[in-house]
Amino acid sequence: EDAALVDAFEARVAADEFIEPKDWMPEAYRKTLIRQISQHAHSEIVGMLPEGNWITRAPSLRRKAVLLAKVQDEGGHGLYLYCAAETLGVGRDELIEDLHSGKAKYSTIFNYPTLTWADIGAIGWLVDGAAIMNQVPLQRTSYGPYARAMIRVCKEESFHQRQGYEIMMALMDGTEAQKAMAQDALNRWWWPSLMMFGPPDDNSPNTAQSMRWRIKRETNDQLRQRFVDATVPQAEAIDLRVPDDALAWNEERGHYDFGEIDWEEFYSVIRGEGPVARERMQARRKAWDEGAWVRDAANAYAAKAAARKEA
Ligand code: ACO
């Protein structure tokens, strides 16, 4: 690559300018963005499945309407992100094919089952809470279309986080059985939520370069720590116990110390061995196949409209 172009690109990134689709960029920067943005898009779309599972069983009409809107928002986030990836010269069909063939990654968190209604509270509170921690800094990521997509996504995610916490509050204000259900959901979702931030920094192959390019603005461990610091007091406020015996406030560091994450579990879920990984991909492929007629009809309509315009 032309050294002068690379220098000019790096100077723009260092000055916190946004890089736009038609600007020159190093091929490796483009590839890294396609990788991260498409994985992010897939996560939003696959993320509709665990919660979609509870729409028909939500305990009241209000809860059903809220959950329906929330799951629909996640679909919208996936669409903005696929659009942002497309500005880098990759086709959406290709991205979706990679997801369905098992070639593309998506967040480990969506390979765990939603067993009770409390899981819907835990997902909003913890999973969307973790997503916000990760996505707020991405509003300043160096690639313009990705940064702009994150602004609306973050607004919606903060509503999602609060609706999840509110479900947990209602359960913790309920019967003994409801409290036990909320605690059980926290027990099962806590560790997988910490894994969402990715491997520890010293084991994260992409972090150093992505920080230099300002694609990532903070490291996996920094964000994970911030999430723990913000979430532990929220658990305490409603009498939930975080399932970690090593958890303790460290006065000197001004942060919570926490226990060791089971990285074996993380890597096995990445390899596609998560508890419901197969069901997730089956559901995605089924939706894609059964939706073929909608895509065909939309294409036929667009072709007709274009022909009419020409005539
Ligand atoms: N689930 C699945 N794969 C993961 C996860 C995870 N929780 N964490 C890391 N990985 C993968 C990375 O994608 C990378 O794989 P690849 O090189 O084959 O693409 C590998 O593990 C090594 O990790 P890192 O070097 O740390 O990778 P990276 O710098 O991309 O950091 C991170 C990972 C933090 C997830 C980053 O990509 C990111 O910030 N993405 C945007 C946010 C996002 O995708 N959120 C999705 C969940 S939130 C939601 O959808 C509601």
Side-chain angles (χ1 to χ4, degrees):
E1 284 173 348
D2 185 327
L5 285 174
V6 174
D7 286 349
F9 168 84
E10 285 179 356
R12 289 187 61 196
V13 168
D16 273 336
E17 278 180 42
F18 285 126
I19 306 299
E20 297 297 339
K22 288 183 177 160
D23 296 343
W24 186 88
M25 62 186 82
E27 212 30 53
Y29 175 84
R30 182 189 303 276
K31 279 216 175 95
T32 298
L33 280 170
I34 292 174
R35 178 182 66 78
Q36 178 166 328
I37 299 172
S38 64
Q39 286 176 4
H40 194 164
H42 298 327
S43 304
E44 300 283 357
I45 299 290
V46 179
M48 297 170 78
L49 298 171
E51 290 177 292
N53 192 29
W54 278 89
I55 290 173
T56 55
R57 292 176 288 163
S60 69
L61 182 60
R62 172 174 169 261
R63 295 289 184 197
K64 192 194 290 272
V66 171
L67 184 58
L68 198 56
K70 195 260 183 206
V71 172
Q72 188 173 317
D73 285 349
E74 305 296 357
H77 299 173
L79 297 184
Y80 313 147
L81 287 161
Y82 285 125
C83 287
E86 283 177 311
T87 66
L88 292 156
V90 62
R92 191 179 301 204
D93 285 351
E94 193 185 323
L95 297 178
I96 289 181
E97 208 173 285
D98 285 351
L99 173 67
H100 293 174
S101 73
K103 192 173 146 206
K105 291 193 174 75
Y106 60 90
S107 186
T108 45
I109 193 75
F110 302 117
N111 293 303
Y112 293 85
T114 38
L115 304 179
T116 72
W117 172 252
D119 289 20
I120 301 307
I123 289 180
W125 174 36
L126 303 172
V127 176
D128 292 80
I132 298 172
M133 275 308 163
N134 168 281
Q135 288 166 357
V136 163
L138 290 176
Q139 295 176 112
R140 292 180 297 113
T141 188
S142 57
Y143 188 57
Y146 192 22
R148 289 188 289 273
M150 283 302 110
I151 293 171
R152 173 153 174 191
V153 168
C154 284
K155 285 194 181 136
E156 293 178 349
E157 294 292 11
S158 51
F159 156 70
H160 298 166
Q161 194 269 353
R162 278 174 234 172
Q163 69 84 35
Y165 189 64
E166 201 256 339
I167 290 174
M168 296 306 258
M169 280 171 72
L171 290 170
M172 291 308 288
D173 205 25
T175 62
E176 285 311 310
Q178 286 168 325
K179 289 180 190 174
M181 198 162 92
Q183 181 63 54
D184 170 63
L186 172 59
N187 293 348
R188 285 181 291 104
W189 289 93
W190 175 254
W191 292 103
S193 298
L194 297 191
M195 293 176 197
M196 284 176 70
F197 295 94
D201 293 348
D202 54 14
N203 232 338
S204 160
N206 301 305
T207 292
Q209 183 58 261
S210 289
M211 293 289 285
R212 274 197 292 277
W213 277 328
R214 301 199 179 178
I215 291 174
K216 283 169 94 161
R217 305 299 311 237
E218 292 187 67
T219 72
N220 301 358
D221 286 330
Q222 283 169 342
L223 293 169
R224 185 166 18 244
Q225 180 73 61
R226 187 170 311 149
F227 174 76
V228 171
D229 291 348
T231 310
V232 169
Q234 293 169 357
E236 283 170 355
I238 53 174
D239 288 331
L240 280 166
R241 186 189 165 275
V242 173
D244 178 358
D245 292 332
L247 187 75
W249 177 252
N250 183 324
E251 193 64 50
E252 215 167 287
R253 291 202 308 126
H255 292 291
Y256 282 96
D257 291 334
F258 55 95
E260 186 60 31
I261 291 168
D262 181 353
W263 292 112
E264 272 313 304
E265 175 177 327
F266 171 78
Y267 288 113
S268 82
V269 177
I270 286 201
R271 285 194 304 270
E273 296 160 16
V276 290
R278 196 174 314 170
E279 287 89 329
R280 294 290 183 250
M281 280 310 103
Q282 275 166 356
R284 276 301 315 152
R285 282 195 288 264
K286 180 165 178 276
W288 182 253
D289 293 343
E290 290 179 357
W293 69 272
V294 179
R295 294 190 299 279
D296 291 344
N299 281 334
Y301 179 81
K304 244 193 227 170
R308 211 177 299 131
K309 211 168 161 195
E310 246 167 55

